Amino acid sequence: MSNFVILPLIMTMFSGIVLLFFKDKIRVQRWISSLSLLLTVVASFYLVHLVHTKGILTHELGNWKPPFGIVLVADMLSALLVATTSIIALCAVLFAFRSIGEAREQFYFYPFVHFLITGVFGAFLTGDLFNLFVFFEVMLMSSYVLIILGGTKIQLKESIKYILVNIVSSALFVISVAYLYAVTGTLNMADLALRITAAGDQGIITVIAMLLLVVFGLKGGIFPLYFWLPGSYKAPPPVISALFGALLTKVGLYAIFRVFTLIFIHDQAFTHPIIGYLAILTIIVGTIGAVAYHDIEKIVIYNIIVAVGVILYGLTIGTVGGFTGSIYYLVHDMIIKGALFLLCGAVISITGTADMRKMGGLIKHHPFMGWLFFLSILSLAGIPPLSGFIGKFMLVQSGLQSHSYVFVGVMLLSSLLVLYSAMKIFMTCFWGERVLEASQEKGSTKGLLLPISILVGLSVVLGIGTEWALPYITEAAKTLADPMSYIQSVLKE
């Protein structure tokens, strides 16, 4: 059964390689991409089932035993994120059929989407820090191609900043990993957890921990390291922005959760308050940005930053309840941000602009899209019974139990302002006075609403089906709260 750990990763990587040979055959690329990702969804959900029934699974490449060999580890957190990623990737590819354009399709759009997903899967499943760096690079190199695909002026401008920031963060990552190996003699995460606990010089370990926080904070968009994110995520077409916004920042957050619950738990009195302050500042800055803009994509992008802060604070609470709230909200946010970016893409395809002051009354001719958007913003703001409410409720409950009153107050206030920022889009774009008649619309929503409906429907299911989803989320949270279960599964000692 451990072979199923590597199966989603192999499927996307192999499909990406095959797609390279069909550059000019767009229909063949579409069929291969959709079928591959559909099978990946099935395989990833079966992996979730296996982890739930059999416990944490490991796959030792070449039968080399850890900590000496490469090991892939699927605990419930990894498996859930792999499953969520596969759904978002499938919906994004379906949306791309009608939106990305043949010019981009002929220049390896589908292969690099698969390579991007391979990097994301690998980051979630790897059991050692060096291969986390490797999969980060696979993910980033694919994103470099996707962000510049099409060669528009704004893409060229923002891609320079995006690439430079990630080169710096990758260099810091390598430096941090080298120092950690020099101190401990290992990079296997489970082995690191044991050796750091027994290490004599805890000060240097804390310095390395803070370096890695900077690295993952840059990739995750934490205050004050988010400066590159709004422009870079705005530059590419909406379907690429959906992949970036739903997945890439979440990989950085996952890495922070993994290393600060498994490896760097020796000095929580120092590290976790810093993470908590950064989380609160991230929420505040993201909320200000979401309220300030009239560009519908920029509003959604700044709401990504808000969610990053909300999710991150659950780490500092340090209880099963806090972890459960963060993981639930993480899965919710991946789904709903993907849906919102795709909705923005559908709106832009009709109006030809992202400035909501130049649009209005869309619900008259596009009622289904309008109500999909309405459901999405309710879920985004945490209105019951949708999925955003469940995660926030658990975080508020855990925050009050841990006397984190500032966080609870900031999160509740930000929820109101997030609702205002998103409702502003709905009232202006859909419910306002009609600007374009049907004959004046720039494009069509044909084929665009099915993938959006899947994601919005999942958000509704996660909300009203909490009783079904909660055991899986709680299992993931318990693994974070009890790192010994992870260590014993990997080292088998």
Side-chain angles (χ1 to χ4, degrees):
M1 291 301 179
S2 65
N3 289 330
F4 278 95
V5 176
I6 200 172
L7 184 60
L9 196 152
I10 287 179
M11 290 171 69
T12 51
M13 181 179 67
F14 180 74
S15 299
I17 294 170
V18 170
L19 285 165
L20 291 173
F21 295 96
F22 296 95
K23 174 181 179 292
D24 297 319
K25 298 181 179 179
I26 294 174
R27 290 180 64 86
V28 174
Q29 287 194 68
R30 291 176 178 177
W31 275 104
I32 293 174
S33 295
S34 54
L35 182 60
S36 164
L37 289 171
L38 182 61
L39 292 174
T40 304
V41 170
V42 175
S44 61
F45 271 89
Y46 186 62
L47 180 62
V48 171
H49 169 72
L50 285 177
V51 173
H52 184 61
T53 55
K54 299 182 180 299
I56 299 172
L57 300 176
T58 62
H59 180 85
E60 298 159 358
L61 275 71
N63 286 326
W64 283 85
K65 301 297 181 184
F68 306 106
I70 297 171
V71 61
L72 299 178
V73 185
D75 64 350
M76 185 53 72
L77 176 59
S78 300
L80 285 172
L81 294 182
V82 167
T84 308
T85 298
S86 62
I87 293 172
I88 293 166
L90 175 61
C91 292
V93 163
L94 294 176
F95 189 89
F97 293 168
R98 294 284 183 172
S99 67
I100 197 69
E102 290 190 2
R104 287 187 172 95
E105 286 180 303
Q106 288 178 336
F107 278 87
Y108 306 106
F109 169 75
Y110 296 111
F112 280 99
V113 167
H114 281 75
F115 293 143
L116 179 83
I117 302 305
T118 299
V120 174
F121 282 170
F124 288 148
L125 292 170
T126 185
D128 67 88
L129 276 181
F130 183 77
N131 282 288
L132 179 62
F133 166 76
V134 170
F135 284 116
F136 262 70
E137 292 308 300
V138 172
M139 176 184 76
L140 289 172
M141 284 189 289
S142 304
S143 71
Y144 297 157
V145 176
L146 292 174
I147 196 173
I148 205 170
L149 195 62
T152 64
K153 184 177 179 180
I154 183 67
Q155 284 180 281
L156 294 171
K157 175 186 172 184
E158 291 297 333
S159 64
I160 294 172
K161 179 172 63 178
Y162 178 77
I163 292 170
L164 285 175
V165 166
N166 281 293
I167 287 173
V168 171
S169 68
S170 296
L172 284 175
F173 198 170
V174 172
I175 292 168
S176 304
V177 167
Y179 274 123
L180 193 58
Y181 184 76
V183 173
T184 63
T186 185
L187 291 176
N188 180 278
M189 293 185 189
D191 198 35
L192 274 170
L194 295 179
R195 295 201 186 193
I196 286 175
T197 303
D201 188 358
Q202 300 291 328
I204 188 65
I205 300 294
T206 302
V207 171
I208 296 169
M210 300 314 294
L211 275 174
L212 286 173
L213 179 62
V214 171
V215 171
F216 300 142
L218 267 170
K219 298 181 189 300
I222 297 169
F223 177 87
L225 305 171
Y226 72 94
F227 60 89
W228 58 272
L229 192 150
S232 297
Y233 282 16
K234 165 69 178 169
V239 66
I240 296 175
S241 298
L243 287 169
F244 286 10
L247 303 179
L248 300 196
T249 54
K250 307 311 183 292
V251 175
L253 278 177
Y254 166 81
I256 292 174
F257 269 82
R258 181 63 75 196
V259 300
F260 282 96
T261 57
L262 177 64
I263 301 172
F264 302 119
I265 58 176
H266 63 288
D267 196 8
Q268 294 185 5
F270 176 79
T271 57
H272 283 48
I274 292 175
I275 295 173
Y277 296 139
L278 292 177
I280 291 172
L281 289 170
T282 303
I283 296 171
I284 293 170
V285 171
T287 303
I288 293 170
V291 172
Y293 281 92
H294 295 283
D295 184 301
I296 58 175
E297 288 185 300
K298 280 287 184 73
I299 292 171
V300 176
I301 288 168
Y302 274 98
N303 274 304
I304 292 174
I305 298 171
V306 176
V308 166
V310 171
I311 296 164
L312 186 62
Y313 198 87
L315 171 65
T316 67
I317 295 174
T319 62
V320 172
F323 291 142
T324 303
S326 282
I327 297 169
Y328 213 108
Y329 198 80
L330 173 60
V331 173
H332 144 81
D333 192 69
M334 292 171 72
I335 293 168
I336 212 63
K337 288 301 189 306
L340 282 168
F341 272 110
L342 297 184
L343 279 165
C344 288
V347 170
I348 293 169
S349 72
I350 294 170
T351 62
T353 180
D355 189 342
M356 64 184 182
R357 293 170 295 187
K358 298 179 181 178
M359 55 182 91
L362 292 175
I363 202 165
K364 181 179 180 181
H365 292 295
H366 305 280
F368 185 57
M369 184 175 69
W371 294 117
L372 282 176
F373 195 93
F374 185 69
L375 277 174
S376 298
I377 62 178
L378 292 183
S379 183
L380 177 72
I383 304 299
L386 300 172
S387 58
F389 169 75
I390 307 301
K392 284 190 174 180
F393 176 78
M394 293 177 181
L395 284 168
V396 167
Q397 190 177 45
S398 300
L400 292 174
Q401 290 172 352
S402 63
H403 309 293
S404 302
Y405 302 120
V406 174
F407 162 70
V408 171
V410 168
M411 188 177 74
L412 292 176
L413 179 60
S414 74
S415 297
L416 292 175
L417 293 174
V418 163
L419 179 61
Y420 164 75
S421 70
M423 191 62 74
K424 183 172 62 173
I425 300 176
F426 180 77
M427 297 303 293
T428 304
C429 300
F430 291 94
W431 208 255
E433 183 180 349
R434 185 159 181 81
V435 175
L436 293 176
E437 296 300 326
S439 60
Q440 297 174 310
E441 292 180 352
K442 313 295 182 184
S444 168
T445 60
K446 183 179 179 181
L448 301 182
L449 298 185
L450 173 61
I452 298 170
S453 302
I454 293 171
L455 293 176
V456 175
L458 275 174
S459 177
V460 174
V461 168
L462 274 176
I464 63 178
T466 306
E467 186 175 351
W468 167 79
L470 195 57
Y472 296 89
I473 306 290
T474 305
E475 183 179 338
K478 288 179 178 178
T479 303
L480 291 180
D482 178 24
M484 282 308 300
S485 60
Y486 182 99
I487 295 168
Q488 290 170 351
S489 298
V490 174
L491 300 181
K492 298 180 174 57
E493 295 178 359

